[in-house]
Amino acid sequence: MAESITITDNRTGESFEVPIVDGTVSAQQWSKHLPGIWFLDPALVTTAMSESAISYLDGEAGILRYRGYPIEQLAEQSTYLEVAYLLLNGELPTQAELSAWVEEVTHHTFIHENVRKRFLEGFHYDAHPMGMMMSTIAALATFYPEARNIADPNVRYQQIVRLIGKMPTVAAFAYRHRLGLPYIYPDPELSYTKNYMNMLWRRTEPKYMASPVLSRALEVLFILHADHEQNCSTNAMRAVGSSQADPYSTTAAAIAALSGPLHGGANEAVLRMLDEIGSKDNIPGFIEQVKAGKCKLMGFGHRVYKNYDPRARIIKRVAEEVFEVTGRNPKIDIAVELERIALSDEYFIKRKLYPNVDFYSGIIYQAMGFTPDHFTVLFGIPRTAGWLAQWQEMLTDPEQKIARPRQVYTGAEKRDFVPIEARGHQLVTA
Ligand code: CMC
């Protein structure tokens, strides 16, 4: 028998039945029977905004899959661009499809000279890279006015290729701008990650040879960050995209959401936290402060995972491989000890708080030579594929409309305008 819930309206005594489908009940069914009664769900904690076939996440079991493929297998055997293709198209590409896709993305890694000369060079030397990314990606909308035609699948595809191709270039230019170094243009002969590393770190050598261990580590980190169902920035992408804004403005909105310390900005915050802790001896005191509510253990906790984040497990292993090349980042020892103490403490056990993707990633990035303010950019580059896959899915879903939630008004009752001379100190209290 199909599962359902029966709801009785005690005002009228009328009952109606709502089927339970895939662990959800339809809010539309509810509003058909009870028009004008809304769900009050701050932060959408218990609301599914959409159906999606892109990533599967089981927070209790600590499972993440893209289009059905376990994240562990993709991290082991795939490349970032292959994963991007998978996310966007639903299936792994054939060799011919992959080659064509890689060639197209590579072709679009260059950015208009005005973007470099007029936008990027206009930023102050210490501008935060996320601010530079956000505004430069938004500015691209003005270079591709046809992008506003979001109903045309060919136009959409063209912008998807451009965005995935240009993100590393904008990120690398932002990086070099801060250091006052000349920009290095994309090298079409290199892979996605090697080209990015070349644009970041090439100095006087004619050809930058990225360490294969480090470029593979970056590839794995990109795969792990490529999508993560309805997280805050993806929700921003879907919400802004639902107004039919162009994909550059929409992606800029997603970058803005990612920049916050509770989301992608957590990787930067973790490094700053480890710096503040300074040594293993200070960990117990720091944990006491967290438990007293004075601060958070950054890189811990997740809205959906109530178990070890599978991405954090992989990143912890990759960190050791990276240290073989770069030398050990001593922060890893503080982080591992912090994790050990937290996972045996009642406060964290009771709340099911485990390390998330941001806990160990920054330690790798720092060992590779990135400064903390660049870490969230390293999250945003690969998440672009996920944002765009989710954006496309939203636009082609006949059930989706402009995202426009309801509210419960708690402000003042109707009142008459008071001329300024007649006003006392009236504070509106909600
Ligand atoms: N340190 C200390 N206490 C925490 C933490 C933490 N990192 N995370 C959650 N809690 C506590 C929280 O205070 C609450 O306690 P109580 O029940 O006593 O009020 C309880 O655990 C439940 O937390 P919540 O705030 O209701 O959980 P949420 O789902 O609203 O927030 C979160 C999820 C990720 C925003 C939160 O865990 C957090 O702020 N973590 C630190 C920031 C972080 O690492 N963010 C990266 C998230 S993963 C990647 C990404 O999305 O970018």
Side-chain angles (χ1 to χ4, degrees), residues 43 45 228 231-232 258 260-267 270 290-291 295-306 309 311 347-348 351 353 356-359 379 383:
V45 173
H228 208 237
N231 57 86
C232 179
L258 186 74
L262 297 189
H263 188 13
N267 54 15
V270 168
V290 172
K291 286 160 64 176
C295 57
K296 277 188 164 172
L297 175 50
M298 298 310 286
F300 256 66
H302 197 273
R303 173 63 56 77
V304 186
Y305 288 122
K306 300 302 165 200
D309 182 333
R311 301 167 300 172
Y347 175 94
F348 298 89
R351 291 170 178 78
L353 301 172
N356 60 48
V357 70
D358 296 313
F359 193 64
F379 191 149
R383 183 56 58 88

mmCIF file of all heavy atoms in Angstrom, residues 43 45 228 231-232 258 260-267 270 290-291 295-306 309 311 347-348 351 353 356-359 379 383, ligand 1:
data_model
loop_
_atom_site.group_PDB
_atom_site.id
_atom_site.type_symbol
_atom_site.label_atom_id
_atom_site.label_comp_id
_atom_site.label_asym_id
_atom_site.label_seq_id
_atom_site.Cartn_x
_atom_site.Cartn_y
_atom_site.Cartn_z
ATOM 1 N N ALA A 43 15.224 29.271 6.734
ATOM 2 C CA ALA A 43 16.433 28.673 6.149
ATOM 3 C C ALA A 43 16.138 27.392 5.361
ATOM 4 O O ALA A 43 17.053 26.632 5.042
ATOM 5 C CB ALA A 43 17.498 28.416 7.211
ATOM 6 N N VAL A 45 15.055 24.606 6.099
ATOM 7 C CA VAL A 45 15.695 23.433 6.718
ATOM 8 C C VAL A 45 14.962 22.144 6.360
ATOM 9 O O VAL A 45 15.587 21.091 6.197
ATOM 10 C CB VAL A 45 15.780 23.638 8.250
ATOM 11 C CG1 VAL A 45 16.280 22.399 8.954
ATOM 12 C CG2 VAL A 45 16.701 24.812 8.566
ATOM 13 N N HIS A 228 27.259 19.535 -5.060
ATOM 14 C CA HIS A 228 26.873 19.053 -3.736
ATOM 15 C C HIS A 228 25.420 19.379 -3.473
ATOM 16 O O HIS A 228 25.080 20.097 -2.546
ATOM 17 C CB HIS A 228 27.777 19.687 -2.656
ATOM 18 C CG HIS A 228 27.909 18.813 -1.464
ATOM 19 N ND1 HIS A 228 27.584 19.211 -0.199
ATOM 20 C CD2 HIS A 228 28.303 17.526 -1.355
ATOM 21 C CE1 HIS A 228 27.792 18.212 0.640
ATOM 22 N NE2 HIS A 228 28.226 17.185 -0.046
ATOM 23 N N ASN A 231 23.127 23.084 -1.881
ATOM 24 C CA ASN A 231 23.853 23.904 -0.903
ATOM 25 C C ASN A 231 23.503 25.378 -1.113
ATOM 26 O O ASN A 231 22.799 25.744 -2.061
ATOM 27 C CB ASN A 231 25.354 23.642 -1.063
ATOM 28 C CG ASN A 231 25.786 23.928 -2.480
ATOM 29 O OD1 ASN A 231 26.098 25.064 -2.808
ATOM 30 N ND2 ASN A 231 25.749 22.925 -3.346
ATOM 31 N N CYS A 232 24.041 26.229 -0.258
ATOM 32 C CA CYS A 232 23.655 27.650 -0.258
ATOM 33 C C CYS A 232 23.912 28.329 -1.614
ATOM 34 O O CYS A 232 23.046 29.026 -2.145
ATOM 35 C CB CYS A 232 24.405 28.353 0.879
ATOM 36 S SG CYS A 232 24.064 30.090 1.010
ATOM 37 N N LEU A 258 28.843 31.694 -2.069
ATOM 38 C CA LEU A 258 29.947 30.804 -1.683
ATOM 39 C C LEU A 258 30.955 31.502 -0.777
ATOM 40 O O LEU A 258 31.632 30.861 0.035
ATOM 41 C CB LEU A 258 30.650 30.293 -2.950
ATOM 42 C CG LEU A 258 31.736 29.245 -2.720
ATOM 43 C CD1 LEU A 258 31.106 27.896 -2.372
ATOM 44 C CD2 LEU A 258 32.629 29.084 -3.949
ATOM 45 N N GLY A 260 30.759 33.346 1.756
ATOM 46 C CA GLY A 260 30.517 33.468 3.204
ATOM 47 C C GLY A 260 31.208 32.387 4.023
ATOM 48 O O GLY A 260 31.368 31.258 3.559
ATOM 49 N N PRO A 261 31.628 32.708 5.271
ATOM 50 C CA PRO A 261 32.378 31.743 6.078
ATOM 51 C C PRO A 261 31.588 30.505 6.504
ATOM 52 O O PRO A 261 32.192 29.508 6.865
ATOM 53 C CB PRO A 261 32.817 32.552 7.308
ATOM 54 C CG PRO A 261 31.909 33.722 7.358
ATOM 55 C CD PRO A 261 31.500 34.015 5.945
ATOM 56 N N LEU A 262 30.253 30.555 6.432
ATOM 57 C CA LEU A 262 29.510 29.338 6.768
ATOM 58 C C LEU A 262 29.450 28.379 5.590
ATOM 59 O O LEU A 262 29.033 27.227 5.722
ATOM 60 C CB LEU A 262 28.083 29.679 7.230
ATOM 61 C CG LEU A 262 27.976 30.505 8.504
ATOM 62 C CD1 LEU A 262 26.538 30.587 8.968
ATOM 63 C CD2 LEU A 262 28.864 29.960 9.621
ATOM 64 N N HIS A 263 29.855 28.863 4.407
ATOM 65 C CA HIS A 263 29.811 28.024 3.202
ATOM 66 C C HIS A 263 31.257 27.876 2.704
ATOM 67 O O HIS A 263 32.125 27.426 3.448
ATOM 68 C CB HIS A 263 28.854 28.693 2.210
ATOM 69 C CG HIS A 263 28.526 27.894 0.990
ATOM 70 N ND1 HIS A 263 28.805 26.569 0.850
ATOM 71 C CD2 HIS A 263 27.911 28.264 -0.182
ATOM 72 C CE1 HIS A 263 28.392 26.138 -0.337
ATOM 73 N NE2 HIS A 263 27.848 27.155 -0.989
ATOM 74 N N GLY A 264 31.545 28.288 1.474
ATOM 75 C CA GLY A 264 32.884 28.071 0.909
ATOM 76 C C GLY A 264 33.980 28.824 1.632
ATOM 77 O O GLY A 264 35.150 28.407 1.637
ATOM 78 N N GLY A 265 33.609 29.949 2.243
ATOM 79 C CA GLY A 265 34.606 30.739 2.970
ATOM 80 C C GLY A 265 35.133 30.023 4.199
ATOM 81 O O GLY A 265 36.096 30.493 4.834
ATOM 82 N N ALA A 266 34.546 28.868 4.525
ATOM 83 C CA ALA A 266 34.996 28.135 5.714
ATOM 84 C C ALA A 266 36.434 27.637 5.560
ATOM 85 O O ALA A 266 37.173 27.546 6.551
ATOM 86 C CB ALA A 266 34.061 26.959 5.999
ATOM 87 N N ASN A 267 36.864 27.315 4.332
ATOM 88 C CA ASN A 267 38.232 26.787 4.187
ATOM 89 C C ASN A 267 39.274 27.841 4.591
ATOM 90 O O ASN A 267 40.278 27.540 5.226
ATOM 91 C CB ASN A 267 38.479 26.201 2.787
ATOM 92 C CG ASN A 267 38.156 27.147 1.646
ATOM 93 O OD1 ASN A 267 37.997 28.348 1.849
ATOM 94 N ND2 ASN A 267 38.066 26.597 0.441
ATOM 95 N N VAL A 270 39.133 28.154 8.401
ATOM 96 C CA VAL A 270 39.799 27.050 9.106
ATOM 97 C C VAL A 270 41.280 27.378 9.302
ATOM 98 O O VAL A 270 41.839 27.213 10.394
ATOM 99 C CB VAL A 270 39.648 25.705 8.339
ATOM 100 C CG1 VAL A 270 40.576 24.636 8.903
ATOM 101 C CG2 VAL A 270 38.213 25.220 8.370
ATOM 102 N N VAL A 290 34.664 26.819 22.148
ATOM 103 C CA VAL A 290 33.632 26.412 21.176
ATOM 104 C C VAL A 290 32.397 25.932 21.937
ATOM 105 O O VAL A 290 31.266 26.341 21.650
ATOM 106 C CB VAL A 290 34.158 25.284 20.242
ATOM 107 C CG1 VAL A 290 33.034 24.720 19.380
ATOM 108 C CG2 VAL A 290 35.300 25.803 19.366
ATOM 109 N N LYS A 291 32.626 25.109 22.949
ATOM 110 C CA LYS A 291 31.499 24.545 23.705
ATOM 111 C C LYS A 291 30.752 25.623 24.491
ATOM 112 O O LYS A 291 29.547 25.509 24.737
ATOM 113 C CB LYS A 291 32.001 23.447 24.647
ATOM 114 C CG LYS A 291 32.357 22.182 23.876
ATOM 115 C CD LYS A 291 33.284 21.259 24.611
ATOM 116 C CE LYS A 291 32.732 20.681 25.865
ATOM 117 N NZ LYS A 291 33.692 19.707 26.469
ATOM 118 N N CYS A 295 32.874 30.669 19.929
ATOM 119 C CA CYS A 295 33.262 30.589 18.517
ATOM 120 C C CYS A 295 32.865 29.218 17.994
ATOM 121 O O CYS A 295 32.423 28.358 18.764
ATOM 122 C CB CYS A 295 34.768 30.810 18.344
ATOM 123 S SG CYS A 295 35.761 29.652 19.280
ATOM 124 N N LYS A 296 33.057 29.026 16.680
ATOM 125 C CA LYS A 296 32.726 27.736 16.077
ATOM 126 C C LYS A 296 33.995 26.980 15.741
ATOM 127 O O LYS A 296 35.036 27.603 15.505
ATOM 128 C CB LYS A 296 31.943 27.956 14.794
ATOM 129 C CG LYS A 296 30.472 28.184 15.040
ATOM 130 C CD LYS A 296 29.707 28.195 13.748
ATOM 131 C CE LYS A 296 28.231 28.036 14.053
ATOM 132 N NZ LYS A 296 27.412 28.228 12.881
ATOM 133 N N LEU A 297 33.891 25.692 15.697
ATOM 134 C CA LEU A 297 34.991 24.894 15.174
ATOM 135 C C LEU A 297 34.789 24.890 13.663
ATOM 136 O O LEU A 297 33.941 24.151 13.136
ATOM 137 C CB LEU A 297 34.950 23.476 15.767
ATOM 138 C CG LEU A 297 35.965 22.476 15.240
ATOM 139 C CD1 LEU A 297 37.376 23.035 15.247
ATOM 140 C CD2 LEU A 297 35.921 21.198 16.059
ATOM 141 N N MET A 298 35.509 25.754 12.965
ATOM 142 C CA MET A 298 35.294 25.904 11.518
ATOM 143 C C MET A 298 35.735 24.628 10.803
ATOM 144 O O MET A 298 36.691 23.975 11.211
ATOM 145 C CB MET A 298 36.060 27.118 10.984
ATOM 146 C CG MET A 298 35.605 28.431 11.585
ATOM 147 S SD MET A 298 33.806 28.684 11.534
ATOM 148 C CE MET A 298 33.560 29.042 9.800
ATOM 149 N N GLY A 299 35.002 24.311 9.720
ATOM 150 C CA GLY A 299 35.296 23.065 9.005
ATOM 151 C C GLY A 299 34.642 21.860 9.643
ATOM 152 O O GLY A 299 34.899 20.724 9.239
ATOM 153 N N PHE A 300 33.793 22.110 10.626
ATOM 154 C CA PHE A 300 33.038 21.035 11.277
ATOM 155 C C PHE A 300 31.548 21.316 11.120
ATOM 156 O O PHE A 300 31.127 22.468 11.121
ATOM 157 C CB PHE A 300 33.369 20.967 12.774
ATOM 158 C CG PHE A 300 34.278 19.828 13.137
ATOM 159 C CD1 PHE A 300 35.582 19.797 12.677
ATOM 160 C CD2 PHE A 300 33.840 18.779 13.948
ATOM 161 C CE1 PHE A 300 36.432 18.759 13.003
ATOM 162 C CE2 PHE A 300 34.687 17.737 14.284
ATOM 163 C CZ PHE A 300 35.982 17.718 13.814
ATOM 164 N N GLY A 301 30.766 20.236 11.016
ATOM 165 C CA GLY A 301 29.313 20.375 10.975
ATOM 166 C C GLY A 301 28.816 20.541 9.557
ATOM 167 O O GLY A 301 29.558 20.980 8.661
ATOM 168 N N HIS A 302 27.601 20.131 9.343
ATOM 169 C CA HIS A 302 26.999 20.240 8.019
ATOM 170 C C HIS A 302 25.493 20.102 8.156
ATOM 171 O O HIS A 302 25.022 19.355 9.009
ATOM 172 C CB HIS A 302 27.540 19.128 7.098
ATOM 173 C CG HIS A 302 27.301 19.410 5.662
ATOM 174 N ND1 HIS A 302 26.147 19.054 5.026
ATOM 175 C CD2 HIS A 302 28.068 20.049 4.739
ATOM 176 C CE1 HIS A 302 26.212 19.449 3.771
ATOM 177 N NE2 HIS A 302 27.358 20.057 3.572
ATOM 178 N N ARG A 303 24.763 20.840 7.321
ATOM 179 C CA ARG A 303 23.307 20.742 7.359
ATOM 180 C C ARG A 303 22.828 19.321 7.057
ATOM 181 O O ARG A 303 21.870 18.838 7.652
ATOM 182 C CB ARG A 303 22.713 21.746 6.355
ATOM 183 C CG ARG A 303 21.213 21.682 6.135
ATOM 184 C CD ARG A 303 20.392 22.009 7.378
ATOM 185 N NE ARG A 303 20.652 23.271 7.981
ATOM 186 C CZ ARG A 303 20.226 24.468 7.540
ATOM 187 N NH1 ARG A 303 19.494 24.546 6.457
ATOM 188 N NH2 ARG A 303 20.529 25.569 8.185
ATOM 189 N N VAL A 304 23.473 18.642 6.141
ATOM 190 C CA VAL A 304 22.983 17.324 5.715
ATOM 191 C C VAL A 304 23.814 16.168 6.295
ATOM 192 O O VAL A 304 23.262 15.174 6.749
ATOM 193 C CB VAL A 304 22.946 17.225 4.170
ATOM 194 C CG1 VAL A 304 22.302 15.911 3.734
ATOM 195 C CG2 VAL A 304 22.182 18.398 3.564
ATOM 196 N N TYR A 305 25.143 16.287 6.287
ATOM 197 C CA TYR A 305 25.955 15.182 6.807
ATOM 198 C C TYR A 305 25.850 15.099 8.320
ATOM 199 O O TYR A 305 26.166 16.067 9.021
ATOM 200 C CB TYR A 305 27.442 15.362 6.470
ATOM 201 C CG TYR A 305 27.776 15.154 5.020
ATOM 202 C CD1 TYR A 305 28.383 16.154 4.291
ATOM 203 C CD2 TYR A 305 27.492 13.943 4.381
ATOM 204 C CE1 TYR A 305 28.689 15.988 2.948
ATOM 205 C CE2 TYR A 305 27.796 13.766 3.049
ATOM 206 C CZ TYR A 305 28.388 14.785 2.338
ATOM 207 O OH TYR A 305 28.684 14.613 1.021
ATOM 208 N N LYS A 306 25.445 13.947 8.811
ATOM 209 C CA LYS A 306 25.478 13.704 10.255
ATOM 210 C C LYS A 306 26.456 12.555 10.498
ATOM 211 O O LYS A 306 26.299 11.733 11.388
ATOM 212 C CB LYS A 306 24.065 13.376 10.783
ATOM 213 C CG LYS A 306 23.075 14.518 10.526
ATOM 214 C CD LYS A 306 23.511 15.855 11.154
ATOM 215 C CE LYS A 306 22.728 17.040 10.607
ATOM 216 N NZ LYS A 306 23.379 18.337 10.801
ATOM 217 N N ASP A 309 32.062 13.499 6.464
ATOM 218 C CA ASP A 309 31.912 13.940 5.073
ATOM 219 C C ASP A 309 32.880 13.102 4.222
ATOM 220 O O ASP A 309 34.093 13.116 4.459
ATOM 221 C CB ASP A 309 32.269 15.445 5.030
ATOM 222 C CG ASP A 309 32.113 16.074 3.649
ATOM 223 O OD1 ASP A 309 32.237 15.360 2.649
ATOM 224 O OD2 ASP A 309 31.905 17.302 3.610
ATOM 225 N N ARG A 311 34.098 13.500 1.443
ATOM 226 C CA ARG A 311 35.108 14.311 0.754
ATOM 227 C C ARG A 311 36.274 14.610 1.698
ATOM 228 O O ARG A 311 37.431 14.621 1.290
ATOM 229 C CB ARG A 311 34.472 15.613 0.249
ATOM 230 C CG ARG A 311 33.311 15.379 -0.702
ATOM 231 C CD ARG A 311 32.508 16.641 -0.936
ATOM 232 N NE ARG A 311 31.938 17.175 0.291
ATOM 233 C CZ ARG A 311 31.318 18.340 0.395
ATOM 234 N NH1 ARG A 311 31.170 19.093 -0.676
ATOM 235 N NH2 ARG A 311 30.822 18.755 1.541
ATOM 236 N N TYR A 347 29.979 17.071 23.335
ATOM 237 C CA TYR A 347 29.328 18.198 22.638
ATOM 238 C C TYR A 347 29.186 17.876 21.141
ATOM 239 O O TYR A 347 28.124 18.045 20.545
ATOM 240 C CB TYR A 347 30.164 19.479 22.821
ATOM 241 C CG TYR A 347 29.638 20.674 22.048
ATOM 242 C CD1 TYR A 347 28.782 21.592 22.640
ATOM 243 C CD2 TYR A 347 30.005 20.889 20.709
ATOM 244 C CE1 TYR A 347 28.290 22.683 21.931
ATOM 245 C CE2 TYR A 347 29.522 21.972 19.989
ATOM 246 C CZ TYR A 347 28.674 22.869 20.601
ATOM 247 O OH TYR A 347 28.198 23.944 19.895
ATOM 248 N N PHE A 348 30.286 17.403 20.526
ATOM 249 C CA PHE A 348 30.298 17.159 19.087
ATOM 250 C C PHE A 348 29.572 15.848 18.747
ATOM 251 O O PHE A 348 28.897 15.763 17.728
ATOM 252 C CB PHE A 348 31.743 17.143 18.557
ATOM 253 C CG PHE A 348 32.420 18.474 18.757
ATOM 254 C CD1 PHE A 348 33.118 18.752 19.937
ATOM 255 C CD2 PHE A 348 32.330 19.469 17.803
ATOM 256 C CE1 PHE A 348 33.712 19.988 20.136
ATOM 257 C CE2 PHE A 348 32.918 20.714 17.994
ATOM 258 C CZ PHE A 348 33.608 20.973 19.176
ATOM 259 N N ARG A 351 25.756 16.335 18.836
ATOM 260 C CA ARG A 351 25.249 17.129 17.712
ATOM 261 C C ARG A 351 25.654 16.544 16.354
ATOM 262 O O ARG A 351 25.378 17.141 15.318
ATOM 263 C CB ARG A 351 25.763 18.569 17.823
ATOM 264 C CG ARG A 351 25.144 19.308 18.996
ATOM 265 C CD ARG A 351 25.828 20.630 19.245
ATOM 266 N NE ARG A 351 25.215 21.355 20.337
ATOM 267 C CZ ARG A 351 25.408 21.095 21.640
ATOM 268 N NH1 ARG A 351 26.213 20.102 22.005
ATOM 269 N NH2 ARG A 351 24.797 21.804 22.562
ATOM 270 N N LEU A 353 28.581 16.312 14.858
ATOM 271 C CA LEU A 353 29.437 17.262 14.130
ATOM 272 C C LEU A 353 30.736 16.564 13.734
ATOM 273 O O LEU A 353 31.481 16.110 14.594
ATOM 274 C CB LEU A 353 29.740 18.482 15.004
ATOM 275 C CG LEU A 353 28.526 19.289 15.490
ATOM 276 C CD1 LEU A 353 28.942 20.341 16.500
ATOM 277 C CD2 LEU A 353 27.800 19.931 14.313
ATOM 278 N N ASN A 356 34.041 18.542 7.758
ATOM 279 C CA ASN A 356 33.460 18.651 6.417
ATOM 280 C C ASN A 356 34.573 18.923 5.392
ATOM 281 O O ASN A 356 35.756 18.944 5.743
ATOM 282 C CB ASN A 356 32.342 19.710 6.397
ATOM 283 C CG ASN A 356 32.851 21.097 6.796
ATOM 284 O OD1 ASN A 356 33.871 21.549 6.291
ATOM 285 N ND2 ASN A 356 32.140 21.758 7.697
ATOM 286 N N VAL A 357 34.163 19.148 4.154
ATOM 287 C CA VAL A 357 35.125 19.270 3.044
ATOM 288 C C VAL A 357 36.174 20.365 3.288
ATOM 289 O O VAL A 357 37.294 20.295 2.788
ATOM 290 C CB VAL A 357 34.348 19.539 1.719
ATOM 291 C CG1 VAL A 357 33.728 20.929 1.709
ATOM 292 C CG2 VAL A 357 35.198 19.326 0.489
ATOM 293 N N ASP A 358 35.781 21.383 4.071
ATOM 294 C CA ASP A 358 36.676 22.529 4.249
ATOM 295 C C ASP A 358 37.720 22.330 5.341
ATOM 296 O O ASP A 358 38.603 23.170 5.497
ATOM 297 C CB ASP A 358 35.849 23.784 4.567
ATOM 298 C CG ASP A 358 34.939 24.167 3.414
ATOM 299 O OD1 ASP A 358 35.448 24.182 2.275
ATOM 300 O OD2 ASP A 358 33.756 24.426 3.638
ATOM 301 N N PHE A 359 37.619 21.242 6.109
ATOM 302 C CA PHE A 359 38.507 21.120 7.265
ATOM 303 C C PHE A 359 39.969 20.890 6.862
ATOM 304 O O PHE A 359 40.878 21.494 7.422
ATOM 305 C CB PHE A 359 38.020 19.995 8.191
ATOM 306 C CG PHE A 359 38.685 20.014 9.546
ATOM 307 C CD1 PHE A 359 38.512 21.084 10.408
ATOM 308 C CD2 PHE A 359 39.503 18.971 9.955
ATOM 309 C CE1 PHE A 359 39.124 21.125 11.654
ATOM 310 C CE2 PHE A 359 40.125 18.998 11.200
ATOM 311 C CZ PHE A 359 39.935 20.074 12.046
ATOM 312 N N PHE A 379 37.489 26.625 -4.486
ATOM 313 C CA PHE A 379 36.205 25.937 -4.333
ATOM 314 C C PHE A 379 35.286 26.375 -5.492
ATOM 315 O O PHE A 379 34.579 25.567 -6.101
ATOM 316 C CB PHE A 379 35.630 26.343 -2.969
ATOM 317 C CG PHE A 379 34.451 25.582 -2.453
ATOM 318 C CD1 PHE A 379 34.279 25.423 -1.074
ATOM 319 C CD2 PHE A 379 33.485 25.063 -3.291
ATOM 320 C CE1 PHE A 379 33.185 24.751 -0.559
ATOM 321 C CE2 PHE A 379 32.383 24.395 -2.778
ATOM 322 C CZ PHE A 379 32.228 24.244 -1.416
ATOM 323 N N ARG A 383 33.148 24.289 -8.601
ATOM 324 C CA ARG A 383 31.703 24.263 -8.334
ATOM 325 C C ARG A 383 30.908 24.860 -9.497
ATOM 326 O O ARG A 383 29.700 24.618 -9.627
ATOM 327 C CB ARG A 383 31.401 24.981 -7.008
ATOM 328 C CG ARG A 383 29.944 24.974 -6.560
ATOM 329 C CD ARG A 383 29.318 23.589 -6.436
ATOM 330 N NE ARG A 383 29.983 22.694 -5.518
ATOM 331 C CZ ARG A 383 29.737 22.600 -4.209
ATOM 332 N NH1 ARG A 383 28.832 23.373 -3.670
ATOM 333 N NH2 ARG A 383 30.392 21.717 -3.459
HETATM 334 N N1 CMC B 1 31.193 24.377 15.831
HETATM 335 C C1 CMC B 1 30.510 24.350 17.003
HETATM 336 N N2 CMC B 1 29.186 24.079 17.092
HETATM 337 C C2 CMC B 1 28.542 23.825 15.949
HETATM 338 C C3 CMC B 1 29.187 23.829 14.706
HETATM 339 C C4 CMC B 1 30.568 24.119 14.674
HETATM 340 N N3 CMC B 1 31.240 24.139 13.524
HETATM 341 N N4 CMC B 1 28.287 23.550 13.717
HETATM 342 C C5 CMC B 1 27.121 23.381 14.341
HETATM 343 N N5 CMC B 1 27.258 23.537 15.682
HETATM 344 C C6 CMC B 1 26.240 23.370 16.708
HETATM 345 C C7 CMC B 1 25.266 24.557 16.680
HETATM 346 O O1 CMC B 1 25.695 25.577 17.539
HETATM 347 C C8 CMC B 1 23.988 23.880 17.163
HETATM 348 O O2 CMC B 1 24.099 23.691 18.556
HETATM 349 P P1 CMC B 1 22.776 23.838 19.496
HETATM 350 O O3 CMC B 1 21.879 22.712 19.083
HETATM 351 O O4 CMC B 1 23.292 23.732 20.879
HETATM 352 O O5 CMC B 1 22.184 25.177 19.172
HETATM 353 C C9 CMC B 1 24.057 22.496 16.527
HETATM 354 O O6 CMC B 1 25.452 22.229 16.361
HETATM 355 C C10 CMC B 1 23.343 22.389 15.184
HETATM 356 O O7 CMC B 1 23.940 23.347 14.309
HETATM 357 P P2 CMC B 1 23.133 24.294 13.337
HETATM 358 O O8 CMC B 1 23.794 25.642 13.331
HETATM 359 O O9 CMC B 1 21.674 24.246 13.631
HETATM 360 O O10 CMC B 1 23.387 23.559 11.972
HETATM 361 P P3 CMC B 1 23.134 24.139 10.531
HETATM 362 O O11 CMC B 1 22.719 23.000 9.680
HETATM 363 O O12 CMC B 1 22.226 25.307 10.567
HETATM 364 O O13 CMC B 1 24.582 24.683 10.089
HETATM 365 C C11 CMC B 1 26.766 24.774 9.258
HETATM 366 C C12 CMC B 1 25.459 23.982 9.294
HETATM 367 C C13 CMC B 1 27.693 24.147 8.232
HETATM 368 C C14 CMC B 1 26.464 26.211 8.805
HETATM 369 C C15 CMC B 1 27.405 24.763 10.666
HETATM 370 O O14 CMC B 1 27.696 23.442 11.050
HETATM 371 C C16 CMC B 1 28.638 25.640 10.740
HETATM 372 O O15 CMC B 1 28.525 26.847 10.936
HETATM 373 N N6 CMC B 1 29.868 25.037 10.566
HETATM 374 C C17 CMC B 1 31.096 25.815 10.553
HETATM 375 C C18 CMC B 1 31.267 26.456 9.180
HETATM 376 C C19 CMC B 1 31.665 25.441 8.131
HETATM 377 O O16 CMC B 1 32.541 24.617 8.320
HETATM 378 N N7 CMC B 1 31.020 25.549 6.955
HETATM 379 C C20 CMC B 1 31.294 24.678 5.819
HETATM 380 C C21 CMC B 1 30.168 23.782 5.534
HETATM 381 S S1 CMC B 1 30.558 22.421 4.437
HETATM 382 C C22 CMC B 1 30.965 23.033 2.910
HETATM 383 C C23 CMC B 1 30.148 24.136 2.403
HETATM 384 O O17 CMC B 1 28.933 24.143 2.439
HETATM 385 O O18 CMC B 1 30.765 25.068 1.912
#
